[in-house]
Amino acid sequence: MNSNIYKKKTPIFVFLIPAFIFMTIFLYYPFIRNIVNSFQSITGLGTAAKGFNEPWYANYKTMIEDPNMRIAIKNTIIMIIATLVGQVGMALLLALLVDNIGRGKKFFQTVYFLPIVISATALGLLFNLIFLYDKGMLNQFLEILGFSGLIDWKDQHHAMMTLLIPVMWQYVGFYFVILITGLNTISEELYEAAVVDGATKLQQVFYISIPLLRNVVCTCIILAVTGALKVFDLPWIMFPKGMPVNSTFLTGTYMYYQTFNSNNVDYGSAIAVVIVVLGIILSKVANKLFKEKDY
């Protein structure tokens, strides 16, 4: 029997209109306004635009010539690669391991998810203490092991590694929960049939778990790629203003620096537009490369 719930369209529009108005005011209008701002001259927050730039694409031309923007894009690409390998890859490994243990699943799920619920500001301050040059926990541990000389973990040679470690550590649990949920949806009958056919645990992982997780992994990859483009809070706490020597700027932190520290609101708007464009392009590429399949 067909349902009559959708025959009357009026109640549907009544509930959709408030949500549409809310999104228009707080999402669509600011986004369009930001695009317009990127072509105008705005020298401070809350100040009116002085008109359109001459030429109108001046901010985008400046961006091409800006060495800090090139550093930000290079670091963001490194962040994307590290995210795919260190977050999604590690989360997949942990999910497969936890799914194959008999006891303690809830314990490990809680432990791995815990960093997500901790404030990024608190984590940034915590890792600042760990990586301190003098009396930092890591340098003290190296001294105990007999290494001579302190390492400045925030100099230009170690800065990106110092930044990547806490970012990867924080978000592994996020993808872990998604992947472990995907594993829980796989029918136990498939594993039972594989056992009857003599398949080992490793064969079950490679021929059942991973293939049936493909669509979930695709979703994680797209989230990781787009998330790496806009990561901001933890890197900014650890390396405000891109220090040292602007070597740790990411697209998100550089946009914030230009907008709030340098008062180049129009330039910051242009960077924001580029972040959105890069996000769309990279998500489309990832979607094509890891196209979801029907099983």
Side-chain angles (χ1 to χ4, degrees):
M1 184 175 66
N2 294 329
S3 175
N4 296 323
I5 190 172
Y6 294 118
K7 284 190 174 180
K8 293 182 179 180
K9 304 295 183 182
T10 304
I12 297 176
F13 285 107
V14 169
F15 285 103
L16 284 176
I17 288 173
F20 178 74
I21 293 173
F22 183 87
M23 292 182 69
T24 301
I25 295 173
F26 294 102
L27 179 62
Y28 302 131
Y29 172 74
F31 178 68
I32 295 170
R33 183 72 254 177
N34 188 78
I35 295 174
V36 175
N37 288 346
S38 69
F39 298 113
Q40 295 182 319
S41 176
I42 308 173
T43 56
L45 286 171
T47 60
K50 298 178 180 178
F52 284 90
N53 289 315
E54 187 61 43
W56 55 272
Y57 54 84
N59 283 322
Y60 295 93
K61 182 181 177 182
T62 303
M63 201 181 305
I64 295 173
E65 301 168 352
D66 186 354
N68 286 334
M69 187 62 189
R70 288 197 291 270
I71 291 172
I73 291 176
K74 182 194 74 172
N75 289 342
T76 301
I77 292 172
I78 295 172
M79 178 70 73
I80 290 172
I81 296 170
T83 297
L84 293 176
V85 177
Q87 290 182 3
V88 179
M90 183 62 70
L92 177 60
L93 177 62
L94 292 173
L96 291 170
L97 290 173
V98 170
D99 189 60
N100 282 281
I101 62 174
R103 292 183 176 181
K105 284 187 179 182
K106 294 293 182 182
F107 170 77
F108 285 107
Q109 289 175 13
T110 303
V111 169
Y112 293 143
F113 187 72
L114 184 61
I116 297 295
V117 301
I118 303 174
S119 164
T121 304
L123 284 179
L125 295 173
L126 170 65
F127 276 94
N128 274 340
L129 295 175
I130 292 173
F131 290 114
L132 276 177
Y133 176 75
D134 187 21
K135 302 304 179 182
M137 188 182 79
L138 187 54
N139 274 342
Q140 287 191 54
F141 181 70
L142 291 176
E143 282 183 338
I144 293 172
L145 294 178
F147 289 92
S148 58
L150 299 177
I151 300 174
D152 186 358
W153 296 102
K154 288 195 171 186
D155 65 13
Q156 57 184 353
H157 303 294
H158 301 92
M160 272 308 295
M161 184 188 70
T162 303
L163 176 62
L164 289 173
I165 289 173
V167 172
M168 288 190 292
W169 179 79
Q170 183 183 20
Y171 287 99
V172 164
F174 175 71
Y175 300 110
F176 167 80
V177 169
I178 296 175
L179 291 166
I180 201 73
T181 304
L183 284 170
N184 290 336
T185 62
I186 299 175
S187 174
E188 286 294 328
E189 294 177 357
L190 294 173
Y191 294 107
E192 292 170 2
V195 171
V196 172
D197 290 337
T200 64
K201 281 286 186 182
L202 198 60
Q203 289 173 326
Q204 292 175 40
V205 168
F206 280 104
Y207 294 108
I208 298 177
S209 301
I210 292 179
L212 293 179
L213 269 181
R214 178 186 173 89
N215 292 348
V216 180
V217 173
C218 289
T219 302
C220 289
I221 287 172
I222 293 171
L223 289 173
V225 169
T226 54
L229 281 170
K230 57 187 181 182
V231 64
F232 165 76
D233 41 13
L234 203 155
W236 186 259
I237 295 298
M238 293 190 67
F239 294 94
K241 302 181 182 179
M243 58 173 287
V245 200
N246 303 336
S247 62
T248 58
F249 271 134
L250 300 167
T251 49
T253 55
Y254 191 51
M255 176 194 68
Y256 182 90
Y257 173 77
Q258 288 292 339
T259 304
F260 292 94
N261 289 72
S262 299
N263 286 325
N264 293 327
V265 180
D266 52 343
Y267 191 47
S269 299
I271 296 173
V273 172
V274 170
I275 292 174
V276 172
V277 172
L278 286 174
I280 294 171
I281 293 172
L282 291 175
S283 60
K284 289 291 183 183
V285 170
N287 207 23
K288 287 288 184 183
L289 292 176
F290 304 96
K291 191 175 181 180
E292 295 186 352
K293 293 183 178 180
D294 294 326
Y295 292 99

